[in-house]
């Protein structure tokens, strides 16, 4: 399964409303998990089995909770039993499709 998620605190003391420290705490949890992952400017994507992925999301959410009185979690999952390596595989298939379109 792939899970893309974004976690943000609110109600904290940061005057400029920046959440980079909270996001860093969440990314640290993700990296420590050892699961395949990718972080971009909007989401972190994890790949793994249901229980291990959601355990990481829970721990990351708790880490972000230290930075405010509330936490917002946005999550999208691609559940495809029997497949692995999709964190890279989906992108490779997309790039192949883009390349083949430009050759037409």
């Amino acid at each position: 399964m792939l899970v893309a998620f974004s976690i943000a605190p609110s109600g904290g003391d940061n005057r400029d409303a920046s959440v980079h420290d909270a996001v860093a705490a969440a990314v640290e949890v993700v990296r420590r998990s050892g699961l395949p992952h990718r972080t971009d400017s909007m989401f972190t994507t994890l790949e793994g089995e249901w229980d291990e992925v959601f355990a990481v999301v829970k721990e990351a959410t708790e880490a972000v909770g230290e930075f405010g009185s509330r936490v917002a979690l946005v999550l999208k999952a691609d559940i495809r039993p029997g497949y692995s390596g999709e964190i890279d595989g989906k992108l490779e298939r997309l790039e192949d499709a883009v390349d083949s379109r430009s050759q037409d």
Side-chain angles (χ1 to χ4, degrees):
M1 115 182 317
L2 293 173
V3 171
F5 67 98
S6 174
I7 310 169
S10 61
D13 295 331
N14 198 337
R15 292 178 192 228
D16 69 356
S18 180
V19 296
H20 61 271
D21 289 330
V23 171
V27 169
E28 182 178 44
V29 169
V30 169
R31 290 180 179 175
R32 212 175 38 239
S33 77
L35 293 176
H37 63 277
R38 181 172 289 121
T39 299
D40 61 38
S41 61
M42 296 292 291
F43 288 93
T44 293
T45 302
L46 281 171
E47 183 170 18
E49 297 299 318
W50 186 276
D51 290 339
E52 62 188 358
V53 167
F54 278 94
V56 173
V57 171
K58 180 181 180 185
E59 186 180 346
T61 301
E62 291 168 348
V64 169
E66 299 294 320
F67 292 85
S69 58
R70 296 178 87 167
V71 176
L73 170 65
V74 176
L75 186 141
K76 182 175 182 178
D78 181 358
I79 304 162
R80 196 170 184 194
Y83 286 79
S84 64
E86 291 297 283
I87 198 165
D88 294 319
K90 289 178 81 168
L91 290 175
E92 290 166 3
R93 290 189 298 276
L94 170 63
E95 291 300 328
D96 289 346
V98 169
D99 288 346
S100 69
R101 291 178 58 82
S102 66
Q103 294 174 6
D104 291 341

